[in-house]
Amino acid sequence: LPSPIPWSLAQPVTPDLLVSPSSQDGDLGSECPEDRGNWTGRLDFLLSCIGYCVGLGNVWRFPYRAYTNGGGAFLVPYFIMLAICGIPIFFMELSLGQFSSLGPLAVWKISPLFKGVGMGTILIVSLVAIYYNMIIAYVLFYLFASLTSDLPWQHCGNWWNTDLCLDHHVIKAGNNTLPVNISNTVSPSEEYWRIRWNLCLCLLLSWTIVYLCILKGVKSSGKVVYFTATFPYLILMMLLIRGVTLEGAWKGIQFYLTPQFDHLLSSKVWIEAALQIFYSLGVGFGGLLTFASYNTFHQNIYRDTFIVTLGNAITSILAGFAIFSVLGYMSQELGVPVDQVAKAGPGLAFVVYPQAMTMLPLSPFWSFLFFFMLLTLGLDSQFAFMETIVTAVTDEFPYYLRPKKASFSAVICIALFLMGLILTTESGMYWLVLLDDYSAGFGLMVVVITTCLVVTRVYGKGAWPYFRACWMVLSPATMMALLVYNIVKYQPSEYGNYRFPTWAEVLGILMGVLSCLMIPMGMVVAVLQEEGTLWERVQQASRPAMDWGPSLEENRTGVYVSSLAGSQSPKPLMVHMRKYGGITSYENTAIEVDREMEEEEDDEECMI
């Protein structure tokens, strides 16, 4: 890894003689915070990143976004945006976390003036974790419902069905030769999606599973991902093979990938590609930074970055084949065009695909596999969200919370579960849509843009020219374009034919604004903690903190020797350099002072 060199420390500075903060009255044996730990296996980090990035969005967002934005032609802007926006920001987060071994809050020792960015990140992740686990609760609900001989959403005639319910089995049995108009009808799966019983228990179960998996931090979640990050690929391949062998599957695949290159002239397609990259990789949420903070200092994250980002893109494309092959079969069975059955988001996962499963032999088996795949995909991302929150806070209060990390994790899980109970009510889906639309919208983009600007302009960082060009120009410009586009093309939230009231829109906008307001609030706090004139305070707060740098002594070489506890005193500084090596701007000063002290000791001995 390149060793980042803060611009404010680039010039030689003669250190002041200070007492080590860890020593009191010369006693160096004071209590230290508990070790935060590291990954225990070689593949823990890589699989955790893969599980975090490859989530529900790969299944229910990418395929729909691809076919509505040029089909196969969409892959052109998709991979370009991956190169100029996705990969560079992904690597930036990994490098910050691995270099400092700190969470999303404490990492802003890099420039305390911008600690509000970390606060905004934690607010965003907390809101996302609330509704994301509700989606996992829905998955559990459907998973248990699949453990029957006949799927409950297979036929009409149940107590929850209405007169609008249309059973495709009846249509097929009737041997209709004319196309059926399904525009004013509702499928059994769609009406089943509207029921709400037992969701509270499913939500409780989902939070219990998450807590048990993060109980011991990365030491426990790092083992769980060996299953949850790999098993979805097995199920995805099974669904893909089954899908492409169905009658009419090619119709869906053709609909999915037929290139329409005229779409590339539309700015909307490029914006959609950037949005898909942005949210699919999970940049800005702090999960990548948190995972990397548990790496060893010399982990090869260049390699890991390309493995995860390219693997994520390939998985999205494969998921599109698995989804649209089944939708092609479904459209042929119903006798309607593919675009009438294709949906995005929860509608695809909980309405369209479950309905398609009822048309297959052994439908409960395929339904169970599909929802089990969604469960493992969702849990990996939820692990990252929770580990981000817990790590961020425990790194801020290591003496008090790190020894009680399991109890603190339980408190966080219980609090978020209670806040998520509103999502299990009759209006729960409307709250979920509101959170999905606004919790990680423009606020997240502001967080990422600010991070890029701080790291490249305030702090300075050495890396490959490709990464520097992206961090300084291409990535911030792309994110700024996304932000402007979202503001200009803003549309109120909708769920089906229901348009949200004004008060709900205001509440959603406040979610995004509040995460942005954390940045100036953090600036005010940082400036007030400094001394001098306003400009001097701003300058001091923007510089890296004295203890910024690698966490282990052997990795604090170069200018970071000065940030060691007690290193401002010449003797400890020389001891460190002799033990670990490294030439610093303080070396000459330290040698001179060391020589003077030895001469004084010799003079005193002579006098005696």
Side-chain angles (χ1 to χ4, degrees):
L1 285 178
S3 295
I5 301 178
W7 294 348
S8 57
L9 293 181
Q11 299 300 322
V13 179
T14 303
D16 297 325
L17 297 178
L18 300 175
V19 179
S20 167
S22 63
S23 63
Q24 297 177 356
D25 298 328
D27 181 13
L28 299 177
S30 59
E31 183 182 359
C32 295
E34 185 175 312
D35 181 29
R36 71 197 301 273
N38 293 95
W39 301 105
T40 55
R42 296 182 62 183
L43 295 177
D44 292 11
F45 168 70
L46 182 61
L47 290 177
S48 294
C49 287
I50 292 175
Y52 169 60
C53 296
V54 180
L56 299 175
N58 297 73
V59 175
W60 72 29
R61 280 204 175 101
F62 176 84
Y64 185 86
R65 208 165 237 163
Y67 102 80
T68 55
N69 291 281
F74 180 73
L75 297 180
V76 175
Y78 178 77
F79 279 102
I80 290 177
M81 289 301 174
L82 176 64
I84 67 175
C85 187
I87 293 175
I89 298 177
F90 190 97
F91 177 72
M92 175 185 286
E93 285 204 35
L94 294 190
S95 60
L96 282 175
Q98 180 166 306
F99 180 77
S100 64
S101 298
L102 296 172
L105 275 178
V107 77
W108 287 99
K109 291 178 180 179
I110 186 177
S111 183
L113 184 67
F114 294 93
K115 191 170 185 177
V117 175
M119 296 163 60
T121 299
I122 300 307
L123 176 60
I124 292 170
V125 172
S126 299
L127 292 174
V128 171
I130 292 173
Y131 81 81
Y132 204 86
N133 226 26
M134 187 65 231
I135 296 175
I136 296 177
Y138 275 111
V139 172
L140 287 171
F141 182 73
Y142 275 76
L143 186 69
F144 295 142
S146 301
L147 299 174
T148 58
S149 57
D150 290 316
L151 295 174
W153 57 84
Q154 188 164 351
H155 301 285
C156 297
N158 300 291
W159 64 265
W160 60 81
N161 294 126
T162 66
D163 295 337
L164 297 177
C165 183
L166 178 65
D167 191 341
H168 77 276
H169 294 91
V170 176
I171 299 175
K172 189 175 181 180
N175 294 320
N176 291 332
T177 57
L178 296 176
V180 179
N181 182 11
I182 63 172
S183 58
N184 294 321
T185 63
V186 181
S187 66
S189 61
E190 188 167 353
E191 293 197 334
Y192 186 81
W193 165 239
R194 297 173 180 174
I195 62 176
R196 292 287 181 271
W197 75 82
N198 295 333
L199 280 182
C200 182
L201 293 178
C202 290
L203 182 62
L204 177 61
L205 177 60
S206 64
W207 276 113
T208 303
I209 294 173
V210 170
Y211 172 70
L212 292 177
C213 292
I214 67 167
L215 179 61
K216 295 183 179 179
V218 294
K219 291 182 179 179
S220 54
S221 65
K223 299 306 177 187
V224 176
V225 294
Y226 278 82
F227 175 76
T228 57
T230 57
F231 192 68
Y233 284 95
L234 175 62
I235 300 179
L236 182 62
M237 294 307 299
M238 293 174 65
L239 293 174
L240 175 61
I241 294 172
R242 184 68 184 101
V244 298
T245 58
L246 293 171
E247 185 179 357
W250 180 247
K251 183 192 298 185
I253 295 174
Q254 188 177 21
F255 189 79
Y256 166 49
L257 283 183
T258 299
Q260 303 172 44
F261 290 103
D262 57 305
H263 282 63
L264 298 182
L265 300 177
S266 171
S267 60
K268 177 179 177 294
V269 174
W270 293 84
I271 294 295
E272 290 289 329
L275 285 173
Q276 178 62 33
I277 289 294
F278 184 69
Y279 289 108
S280 178
L281 291 178
V283 294
F285 289 95
L288 298 170
L289 189 150
T290 299
F291 283 161
S293 71
Y294 292 101
N295 278 346
T296 57
F297 190 72
H298 296 289
Q299 171 83 13
N300 187 351
I301 55 173
Y302 280 119
R303 175 200 61 201
D304 295 341
T305 294
F306 286 99
I307 290 176
V308 176
T309 53
L310 295 178
N312 176 72
I314 294 172
T315 303
S316 297
I317 297 171
L318 287 177
F321 280 101
I323 295 296
F324 271 89
S325 60
V326 174
L327 294 185
Y329 165 74
M330 182 178 174
S331 72
Q332 179 158 313
E333 288 288 295
L334 295 177
V336 298
V338 178
D339 60 354
Q340 288 194 27
V341 297
K343 292 184 178 180
L348 172 65
F350 298 111
V351 178
V352 176
Y353 212 81
Q355 182 183 1
M357 293 295 99
T358 65
M359 302 178 183
L360 298 176
L362 300 175
S363 56
F365 170 74
W366 294 108
S367 177
F368 179 85
L369 283 183
F370 176 70
F371 286 110
F372 193 78
M373 179 184 71
L374 292 186
L375 176 64
T376 52
L377 290 174
L379 284 176
D380 287 333
S381 299
Q382 189 68 6
F383 294 160
F385 296 147
M386 293 306 301
E387 193 62 50
T388 298
I389 298 171
V390 173
T391 297
V393 181
T394 53
D395 280 352
E396 283 293 293
F397 307 99
Y399 289 95
Y400 306 104
L401 294 180
R402 202 171 284 169
K404 305 173 183 177
K405 191 172 183 178
S407 300
F408 179 66
S409 299
V411 171
I412 296 296
C413 289
I414 292 172
L416 295 182
F417 164 70
L418 294 176
M419 286 187 277
L421 285 176
I422 192 174
L423 303 179
T424 65
T425 63
E426 289 294 328
S427 62
M429 182 49 59
Y430 300 95
W431 285 105
L432 191 149
V433 170
L434 192 68
L435 284 167
D436 187 35
D437 286 348
Y438 292 101
S439 61
F442 61 89
L444 184 63
M445 295 180 192
V446 171
V447 164
V448 174
I449 292 171
T450 307
T451 302
C452 285
L453 296 178
V454 170
V455 171
T456 56
R457 287 168 173 77
V458 176
Y459 178 64
K461 188 176 181 65
W464 291 354
Y466 157 65
F467 285 116
R468 287 203 302 271
C470 290
W471 292 338
M472 298 186 71
V473 181
L474 297 178
S475 296
T478 302
M479 298 308 303
M480 189 65 70
L482 289 178
L483 181 61
V484 173
Y485 179 85
N486 278 359
I487 295 174
V488 172
K489 297 292 184 179
Y490 170 78
Q491 292 181 347
S493 294
E494 294 181 354
Y495 177 57
N497 296 324
Y498 178 77
R499 192 162 187 170
F500 282 53
T502 303
W503 67 265
E505 293 298 319
V506 172
L507 180 61
I509 293 173
L510 286 176
M511 291 183 200
V513 170
L514 186 57
S515 59
C516 297
L517 288 178
M518 291 293 177
I519 299 175
M521 290 170 58
M523 288 181 173
V524 171
V525 173
V527 169
L528 291 177
Q529 291 176 340
E530 301 294 341
E531 298 179 353
T533 64
L534 179 60
W535 178 242
E536 290 173 343
R537 292 185 179 200
V538 171
Q539 285 184 311
Q540 293 166 9
S542 64
R543 297 190 184 104
M546 282 299 299
D547 57 346
W548 164 254
S551 61
L552 298 179
E553 282 191 11
E554 59 263 32
N555 298 322
R556 283 186 180 261
T557 57
V559 296
Y560 297 101
V561 173
S562 63
S563 60
L564 284 168
S567 64
Q568 290 80 5
S569 181
K571 288 280 189 180
L573 180 61
M574 291 302 297
V575 170
H576 176 85
M577 288 196 298
R578 289 165 184 157
K579 183 176 181 181
Y580 299 114
I583 305 301
T584 75
S585 59
Y586 303 100
E587 187 177 17
N588 291 336
T589 302
I591 293 175
E592 290 176 3
V593 176
D594 198 26
R595 185 184 300 113
E596 291 176 0
M597 294 176 66
E598 290 177 355
E599 290 176 354
E600 290 178 0
E601 291 176 357
D602 292 339
D603 291 341
E604 290 177 359
E605 291 177 0
C606 291
M607 292 178 64
I608 295 175

